[in-house]
């Protein structure tokens, strides 16, 4: 490093520390509401910032990373605007806690407070960069779908930074990310900031043997470095070497820096409760700021006066920034402003452009839902090179020589929904993920943040739970928490549901209401082949994350088959379908209950003349309230039916809203038909009783008609 660089290095370290100090004062004055500091980590982080290129490389920092954000070009004022929760907080508009900075310009991607989730996003980001470099045409803008709103950039030798504390290395997502970084030789630099404590839990309680470097040492393709993270020169050297290794395409790197934590975990924590005085004193002697200052003096790079001048300038900068932040305008409290950027403001999946008619094609044969979904995936992959498909067993064959030689047919998914995709589009557009659901969803988020369109598959809904953290805390709030600066529109396809005769607990689950209870994610659940094709197309082309639930039992059912509707057929979200018009009562449902309710309604009419109106919601978020209201106003009697368990299920919300808004139209209490409040048992006799059957629907309809 030149003298100027060394002075700048110290300035950034000092700037970071003084910004922390100022926030601490502001917190004590109750002008801000939370504080977590970077103190003790500055040398490692300034080194990382100076070794990398803002707006060229990509950054997934965590809440301890003030110094790298400043080194990359974040200003103190921007950071303090977040601390006060200002409308002009560029990272979140007052929605996120302090220390959750982001910047599109600098490529600092919106972070959450969850530890280690970011590791998976970094992987997806690096994969996207590599993919785009190999498919540069894919990056072009395109009218008519989400691509209109995505500025996609990439560099052939870009590097992705991700950091985490040593405590967070206990999280599965850290290990799931090492798996893919290593396997795919991705240009990702991990920085483990080891301050020996995760709040009050010391490193040996998190890391067997107390040293993460020893545990990760056998991952292939990695460059590893372990440094004194309080030594600026050692840190800089380690970071430069690590970044060079990644930039050269040799694989990922992990820099393990031993740092200190002089200010406790956060302002809500007092480390004297769990650390001895002796330990704290010994740590204080390693403060990187004091060490760097002494070093500059000793080397004759700055004298005392030079240090004082530099520090005074920084103090003034922090003061000015704090003064401005104190004057900042606070966010609007209107409902509209609060909900802004929950979903795309640019392109709604309810948009007219998604309302198209099926095309008559030469082949009018009736196709199953599975076939039309497969067609739709192929059509969209032909149309949009940003679409990639991955998940467990979705490829035709990972060992592709035999496939290419025509010796094997290929698998293409346990339900064969993705059959032929790898064969037609290649292994970098359809591939098998490791058996790790958080890996699948987390990577997809990182790719989508770069403007790709991952259509990932979770093999069974029953196994979506390892990805739940990524879905709830990352996928869903990504756009909202960054006040619209970042988004990750993607599709997660998931086979769901029971009626399998032997599906049992772990192959029969429903649970859609858990996801409709999560704002930020669209939830779709078609009941027939044509709807599935039209809705999947909208899901892929729209600008929001979509959970696409495919009922396994409907994949190959005779009910609801349809002719191939052509490559442009789309259905807007939020538009229910009246499956059967009727006068006497309404059944609102979706998924596999649609054919069962239809069967019951037809039988009821044959036997008693009662005329049931059957509504298939098709999309559960958004849902078609107008269609519900119109039907209830017509029939004045309503049953909400679903396959999932009764209590706290999807029907509870619909029934409550009907009670609130349509009470005056009702001639009978709203009724629900749903599964028993338990899991689905293996023995078919038990499954039949646990899940709602056509007879249950018939009985409910008949009783309601008589009410
Ligand atoms: C998934 C998750 N679990 C728990 C927490 C609460 N929490 C916040 S920070 C923290 C400790 C993190 O320690 P470490 O990774 O060592 O980083 P450090 O804060 O020491 O820099 C915990 C438990 C969280 N944010 N995320």
């Amino acid at each position: 490093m030149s003298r100027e660089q060394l002075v700048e290095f110290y300035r950034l370290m000092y700037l970071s520390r003084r910004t922390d100090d100022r926030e601490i004062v502001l917190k004590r004055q109750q002008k801000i509401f939370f504080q977590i500091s970077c103190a003790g980590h500055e040398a490692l982080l300034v080194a990382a910032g100076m070794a990398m290129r803002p707006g060229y490389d990509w950054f997934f920092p965590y809440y301890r990373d003030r110094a790298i954000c400043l080194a990359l070009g974040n200003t103190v004022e921007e950071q303090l605007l977040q601390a006060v929760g200002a409308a002009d907080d560029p990272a979140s508009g007052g929605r996120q806690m302090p220390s959750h900075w982001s910047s599109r310009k600098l490529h600092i991607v919106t972070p959450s407070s969850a530890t280690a989730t970011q590791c998976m996003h970094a992987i997806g980001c690096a994969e996207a960069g590599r993919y785009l470099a190999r498919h540069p045409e894919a990056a072009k803008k395109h009218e008519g779908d989400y691509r209109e709103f995505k500025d996609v950039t990439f560099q052939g030798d870009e590097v992705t930074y991700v950091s985490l504390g040593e405590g967070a290395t206990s999280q599965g997502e850290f290990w799931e990310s090492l798996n893919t970084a290593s396997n795919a030789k991705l240009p990702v630099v991990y920085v483990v900031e080891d301050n020996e404590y995760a709040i009050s839990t010391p490193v040996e309680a998190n890391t067997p043997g107390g040293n993460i470097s020893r545990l990760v040492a056998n991952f292939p393709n990695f460059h590893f470095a372990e440094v004194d993270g309080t030594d600026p020169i050692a840190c800089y050297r380690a970071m430069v070497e690590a970044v060079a290794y990644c930039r050269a395409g040799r694989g990922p790197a992990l820099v393990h820096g031993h740092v200190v934590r002089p200010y406790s975990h956060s302002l809500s924590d007092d480390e004297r409760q769990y650390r001895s005085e002796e330990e704290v004193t010994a740590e204080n002697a390693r403060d990187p700021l004091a060490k760097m200052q002494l070093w500059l003096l000793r080397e004759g790079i700055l004298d005392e006066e030079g240090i004082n001048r530099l520090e005074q300038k920084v103090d003034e900068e922090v003061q000015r920034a704090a003064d401005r932040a104190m004057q900042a305008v606070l966010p609007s409290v209107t409902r509209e402003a609060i909900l802004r950027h929950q979903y795309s403001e640019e392109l709604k999946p309810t948009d007219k452009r998604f309302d198209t008619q099926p095309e008559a094609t030469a082949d009018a044969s009736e196709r199953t839902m599975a076939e039309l979904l497969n067609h739709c995936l192929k059509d969209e992959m032909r149309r949009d090179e940003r679409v990639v498909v991955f998940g467990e067993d979705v490829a035709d064959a990972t060992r592709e020589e035999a496939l290419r030689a025509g010796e094997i047919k290929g698998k293409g998914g346990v339900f064969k929904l993705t059959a032929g995709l790898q064969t037609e589009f290649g292994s970098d557009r359809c591939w098998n993920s490791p058996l790790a659901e958080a890996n699948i969803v987390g990577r997809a988020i990182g790719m989508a943040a770069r403007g790709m369109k991952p259509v990932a598959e979770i093999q069974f809904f029953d196994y979506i739970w390892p990805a739940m953290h990524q879905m709830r805390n990352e996928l869903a709030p990504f756009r909202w928490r960054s006040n619209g600066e970042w988004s990750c529109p993607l599709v997660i396809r998931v086979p769901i549901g029971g009626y399998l005769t032997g599906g049992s607990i772990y192959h029969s689950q429903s649970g859609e209401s858990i996801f409709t209870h999560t704002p930020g994610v669209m939830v779709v659940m078609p009941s027939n082949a044509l709807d599935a094709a039209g809705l999947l197309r909208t899901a892929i082309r729209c600008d929001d994350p979509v959970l696409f639930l495919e009922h396994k039992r409907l994949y190959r059912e005779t009910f609801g088959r349809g002719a191939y509707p052509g490559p442009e057929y789309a259905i807007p979200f939020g538009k229910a379908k009246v499956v059967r018009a009727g006068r006497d009562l309404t059944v609102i449902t979706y998924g596999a209950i649609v054919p069962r309710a239809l069967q019951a309604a037809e039988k009821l009419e044959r036997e008693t003349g009662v005329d049931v109106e059957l509504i298939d919601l098709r999309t559960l978020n958004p849902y078609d309230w107008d269609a519900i209201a119109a039907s209830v106003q017509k029939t004045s009697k309503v049953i909400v039916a679903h396959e999932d368990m009764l209590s706290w299920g999807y029907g509870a919300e619909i029934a409550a809203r009907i009670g609130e808004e349509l009470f005056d139209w009702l001639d009978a209490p709203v009724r629900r038909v749903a599964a028993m409040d338990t899991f689905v048992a293996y023995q078919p006799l038990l499954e039949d009783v646990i899940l709602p059957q056509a007879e249950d629907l018939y009985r409910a309809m008949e009783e309601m008609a008589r009410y």
Side-chain angles (χ1 to χ4, degrees):
M1 274 190 285
S2 65
R3 291 174 84 87
E4 289 71 28
Q5 278 176 308
L6 287 164
V7 172
E8 177 61 4
F9 199 114
Y10 179 68
R11 191 190 71 82
L12 287 165
M13 285 176 68
Y14 183 74
L15 184 68
S16 176
R17 183 69 64 93
R18 294 306 283 162
T19 309
D20 274 322
D21 290 339
R22 177 50 60 113
E23 276 194 359
I24 289 165
V25 171
L26 293 172
K27 170 74 173 72
R28 297 214 161 108
Q29 294 170 340
Q30 298 184 3
K31 290 181 174 156
I32 68 170
F33 317 100
F34 182 74
Q35 211 283 329
I36 191 155
S37 87
C38 175
H41 293 223
E42 295 98 339
L44 184 61
L45 293 173
V46 170
M50 288 180 72
M52 298 187 74
R53 298 172 64 180
Y56 186 101
D57 296 323
W58 290 80
F59 301 90
F60 292 83
Y62 82 114
Y63 52 77
R64 201 67 84 193
D65 277 14
R66 183 188 299 286
I68 184 174
C69 291
L70 290 170
L72 294 173
N74 228 201
T75 66
V76 176
E77 185 177 344
E78 285 169 342
Q79 296 197 344
L80 293 182
L81 284 171
Q82 184 167 70
V84 299
D88 289 338
D89 153 27
S92 79
R95 289 171 176 178
Q96 289 238 63
M97 287 176 137
S99 297
H100 291 63
W101 309 290
S102 69
S103 161
R104 270 213 89 80
K105 190 173 94 216
L106 304 173
H107 291 178
I108 304 173
V109 182
T110 173
S112 74
S113 308
T115 53
T117 46
Q118 71 275 18
C119 296
M120 288 316 322
H121 309 161
I123 298 301
C125 169
E127 287 179 294
R130 174 183 290 175
Y131 180 89
L132 290 163
R134 289 177 184 169
H135 298 255
E137 289 293 305
K140 287 196 176 146
K141 284 212 168 185
H142 194 283
E143 296 282 301
D145 59 44
Y146 72 99
R147 286 174 291 176
E148 223 173 297
F149 313 102
K150 301 273 169 287
D151 290 318
V152 175
T153 59
F154 59 93
Q155 307 291 341
D157 64 348
E158 65 183 47
V159 176
T160 299
Y161 163 96
V162 64
S163 61
L164 69 167
E166 86 295 336
T169 64
S170 293
Q171 295 282 1
E173 276 140 314
F174 170 65
W175 296 94
E176 291 187 20
S177 76
L178 293 181
N179 177 331
T180 303
S182 169
N183 241 342
K185 288 177 91 173
L186 291 170
V188 176
V189 178
Y190 289 78
V191 174
V192 178
E193 301 171 32
D194 185 350
N195 59 25
E196 290 195 10
Y197 275 91
I199 308 185
S200 67
T201 306
V203 59
E204 66 274 17
N206 261 304
T207 307
N211 184 316
I212 191 66
S213 283
R214 280 210 291 277
L215 297 191
V216 297
N218 279 337
F219 273 95
N221 301 321
F222 260 90
H223 164 88
F224 292 109
E226 186 174 1
V227 283
D228 175 355
T230 65
D231 176 344
I233 312 302
C235 289
Y236 186 70
R237 183 180 304 125
M239 284 307 309
V240 166
E241 282 171 10
V243 172
Y245 181 87
C246 294
R247 224 183 271 300
R250 296 172 66 193
L254 186 145
V255 177
H256 174 195
H258 292 277
V259 294
V260 291
R261 197 193 67 176
Y263 287 1
S264 292
H265 173 74
S266 71
L267 228 55
S268 318
D269 171 51
D270 179 1
E271 66 185 0
R272 287 169 304 185
Q273 291 168 345
Y274 52 85
R275 295 181 82 173
S276 71
E277 210 177 310
E278 196 186 351
E279 188 183 315
V280 172
T281 312
E283 193 186 77
N284 286 345
R286 292 181 54 223
D287 190 315
L289 205 67
K291 279 170 75 172
M292 177 76 176
Q293 195 190 87
L294 266 180
W295 188 84
L296 290 173
L297 287 168
R298 213 177 44 229
E299 298 288 319
I301 293 164
L302 280 179
D303 57 14
E304 230 166 88
E305 203 196 318
I307 299 248
N308 286 342
R309 221 175 313 120
L310 179 150
E311 293 189 348
Q312 196 188 338
K313 272 176 88 175
V314 166
D315 290 346
E316 284 164 10
E317 179 182 343
V318 173
Q319 181 64 48
R320 274 195 308 276
D323 290 345
R324 283 197 295 267
M326 288 307 111
Q327 306 299 320
V329 176
L330 299 183
S332 162
V333 295
T334 63
R335 257 184 84 80
E336 196 199 355
I338 288 169
L339 292 176
R340 198 165 146 75
H341 299 305
Q342 186 115 274
Y343 301 100
S344 173
E345 302 288 333
E346 278 102 14
L347 175 60
K348 310 270 177 207
T350 50
D351 194 85
K352 283 205 301 298
R353 80 181 71 187
F354 298 120
D355 202 353
T356 66
Q357 293 305 309
E359 230 175 81
T361 63
D363 180 5
S365 58
E366 294 282 286
R367 304 280 179 179
T368 62
M369 182 191 280
E371 284 174 301
L372 288 195
L373 284 170
N374 179 264
H375 276 309
C376 179
L377 287 168
K378 285 183 175 157
D379 285 341
E380 290 307 295
M381 288 178 85
R382 284 177 199 131
R383 178 179 176 274
D384 178 359
E385 215 181 342
R386 291 194 209 168
V387 177
V388 291
V389 170
F390 63 102
E392 292 155 17
D393 305 297
V394 300
D396 291 324
T398 299
R399 295 178 181 172
E400 63 182 331
E401 294 76 16
L403 186 75
R404 300 285 168 211
E407 291 163 14
I408 52 174
K409 188 160 158 270
K411 180 144 181 93
V414 293
F415 296 103
K416 298 240 166 278
L417 269 281
T418 51
L421 301 187
Q422 181 198 3
T423 304
E424 179 173 344
F425 300 102
S427 305
D428 63 349
R429 294 195 65 196
C430 177
W431 70 90
N432 286 332
S433 71
L435 206 174
E437 287 75 12
N439 175 296
I440 297 169
V441 173
R443 281 161 81 183
I445 291 170
M447 290 176 202
R450 295 287 304 268
M452 297 275 295
K453 180 63 81 159
V455 181
E457 180 178 299
I458 296 291
Q459 197 164 71
F460 293 89
F461 185 84
D462 314 70
Y463 307 120
I464 201 166
W465 311 117
M468 185 63 180
H469 187 33
Q470 284 285 348
M471 294 183 69
R472 170 90 183 178
N473 284 335
E474 302 295 341
L475 180 69
F478 210 76
R479 190 191 291 267
W480 188 83
R481 77 185 186 206
S482 64
N483 204 17
E485 277 292 286
W486 295 93
S487 64
C488 55
L490 54 81
V491 182
I492 304 174
R493 294 184 33 255
V494 195
I496 189 171
Y499 301 109
L500 303 180
T501 315
S504 185
I505 310 167
Y506 302 106
H507 296 85
S508 306
Q509 286 178 31
S510 298
E512 56 278 7
S513 64
I514 294 169
F515 296 92
T516 53
H517 191 61
T518 298
V521 179
M522 304 283 176
V523 182
V524 179
M525 194 160 171
S527 72
N528 61 76
L530 213 54
D531 284 356
L535 291 166
L536 182 60
R537 181 157 289 108
T538 305
I540 293 173
R541 295 188 187 183
C542 81
D543 195 30
D544 283 302
V546 181
L547 178 64
F548 196 87
L549 303 172
E550 302 167 0
H551 203 290
K552 304 190 280 283
R553 188 56 209 265
L554 298 177
Y555 270 153
R556 294 182 168 81
E557 198 99 303
T558 322
F559 169 83
R561 292 189 180 189
Y564 171 63
E568 293 300 322
Y569 180 55
I571 299 173
F573 289 2
K575 217 173 140 192
K577 180 170 167 184
V578 180
V579 177
R580 184 184 199 280
R583 287 183 316 271
D584 300 325
L585 68 95
T586 299
V587 175
I588 296 160
T589 190
Y590 52 88
I593 299 296
V594 173
R596 285 161 182 77
L598 186 61
Q599 192 191 336
E602 281 169 355
K603 182 167 175 235
L604 191 68
E605 181 162 47
R606 274 198 313 274
E607 291 178 358
T608 67
V610 171
D611 190 12
V612 174
E613 177 143 302
L614 178 58
I615 294 186
D616 178 359
L617 287 176
R618 308 198 286 192
T619 66
L620 308 183
N621 179 34
Y623 66 92
D624 191 346
W625 175 248
D626 291 348
I628 295 171
S631 185
V632 172
Q633 285 167 1
K634 179 165 85 168
T635 65
S636 298
K637 291 182 175 177
V638 59
I639 294 170
V640 190
H642 52 68
E643 175 184 336
D644 197 9
M645 296 172 215
L646 180 81
S647 302
W648 296 282
Y650 189 77
E653 176 62 29
I654 303 293
R657 189 164 173 197
I658 292 171
E660 267 179 33
E661 296 185 31
L662 301 171
F663 183 77
D664 292 343
W665 297 90
L666 291 176
D667 287 342
V670 183
R671 182 158 177 177
R672 288 173 293 158
V673 176
M676 289 173 64
D677 288 333
T678 186
F679 290 93
V680 176
Y682 170 69
Q683 166 55 241
L685 287 173
L686 299 175
E687 181 185 68
D688 282 353
V689 176
I690 290 165
L691 292 180
Q693 306 296 335
E695 302 83 69
D696 301 309
L697 290 151
Y698 178 92
R699 211 173 316 115
M701 292 176 193
E702 201 253 338
E703 284 169 14
M704 180 158 281
R706 278 195 281 114
Y707 185 91

